[in-house]
Amino acid sequence: MAQMTYRDALRKALHDAMTEDEDVFVIGEEVGRYGGAYGVTKGLIDEFGPERLRDTPISEPAIVGTAVGAAMAGMRPVAELMYVDFIGLTMDQLCNQAAKIRYMFGGQIGVSMVLRTQGGTGRSAGAQHSQSLEAYVMHTPGLRLVMPGTVYDAYHLLRQALRQPDPVVFIEHKALYAMSEEVDLDAPPPDWGRAVVRRTGSDLVIVTYSRQVHYVMQAAEALAGQGIEATVIDLRTLNPLDFETIRAAVEPIGRAMVVSEGPLTAGVAAELSARITEECFDFLHDPVIRVAGEDVPISVSTALEAASVPSADLVAETARKMLV
């Protein structure tokens, strides 16, 4: 067992992968000498050199385009985008090329790359640096999507992402980097694409991912003190989506809530609630409820920022209303 932060777990995952496979390299803005915008790659250049920690100009299309080409040539690039907010600049390289190469080439070649980026609120970074845009990625066939909420998952899911034959978008919540946990990195890794049940209860199922896992767990503990027991499912990956774990929890209970930091309209919460409604309809006692981000630009104001995304109190309040 070792005490480490979310940031340290990601760094160790990169270090271990680069040690084992010389085809793994990191490319992005300030990933080398500076050590990454949030310090994830700090110190790696001292061991692996500038050829494998490649600093680039501020050009997201160039970063992702280079990674796509390198992956097609047999390398395993890790491209880092400084904030998911700028993923739109890479939509051709990522969504029109990386996601479709295997199909366009009849399965003869794939794009085995990982796109690491940061999303979410919590640092008063303003409307252009605080968004949750995972729905953009989830909407695109051919892209895998990982959003770890714990230190253990940050390490193991990044390690597994680097073994996938197709492109993986790996979104790290910027408010989790300093979170510290005691983890056993020698424990068996989670199955790729498999959700985990963080808590079991008989009154309500709450499905969530990334930082909201922690808020939902806080809400579940508060609800337990009031006699309401919730099952909490941490999806870990949104593509592959482990709907069987959701189904197995929802059918015997009949009540479900989906919690996401992304916007309410046409977001991940909308897709998940629709799937639950369609596939578990005969077992539901009430409509599936979405608790998600407000449909507004994220404010730089600390108070307004916090009020624009779900909190533990909002999740608990919504659960109580569902069970009245």
Side-chain angles (χ1 to χ4, degrees), residues 241-264:
L241 176 66
D242 180 10
F243 193 78
E244 289 310 308
T245 293
I246 298 174
R247 186 202 309 278
V250 170
E251 288 185 354
I253 294 175
R255 291 184 176 86
M257 176 196 302
V258 181
V259 181
S260 168
E261 192 164 314
L264 180 73

Side-chain angles (χ1 to χ4, degrees), residues 117-140:
T117 189
Q118 306 90 22
T121 62
R123 296 181 64 90
S124 297
Q128 295 173 328
H129 298 80
S130 304
Q131 298 171 91
S132 298
L133 302 182
E134 53 267 22
Y136 287 18
V137 179
M138 194 177 182
H139 180 73
T140 304

Side-chain angles (χ1 to χ4, degrees), residues 3 51 80-81 118 205 237 242 264 283-284 304 307 311:
Q3 191 77 23
E51 290 296 310
E80 180 174 337
L81 289 190
Q118 306 90 22
V205 177
T237 64
D242 180 10
L264 180 73
F283 300 89
L284 292 174
L304 291 176
S311 64

Side-chain angles (χ1 to χ4, degrees), residues 304-316:
L304 291 176
E305 179 187 46
S308 66
V309 297
S311 64
D313 288 343
L314 178 60
V315 172

Side-chain angles (χ1 to χ4, degrees), residues 190-257:
D191 292 336
W192 176 252
R194 180 64 60 86
V196 61
V197 178
R198 300 284 181 196
R199 190 182 190 283
T200 58
S202 58
D203 297 313
L204 171 69
V205 177
I206 307 178
V207 182
T208 190
Y209 57 93
S210 191
R211 181 177 67 159
Q212 287 297 326
V213 170
H214 302 279
Y215 289 166
V216 169
M217 289 295 287
Q218 292 172 25
E221 292 302 320
L223 289 167
Q226 300 163 15
I228 299 173
E229 295 293 341
T231 289
V232 177
I233 297 175
D234 176 0
L235 292 175
R236 289 173 163 165
T237 64
L238 298 179
N239 187 356
L241 176 66
D242 180 10
F243 193 78
E244 289 310 308
T245 293
I246 298 174
R247 186 202 309 278
V250 170
E251 288 185 354
I253 294 175
R255 291 184 176 86
M257 176 196 302

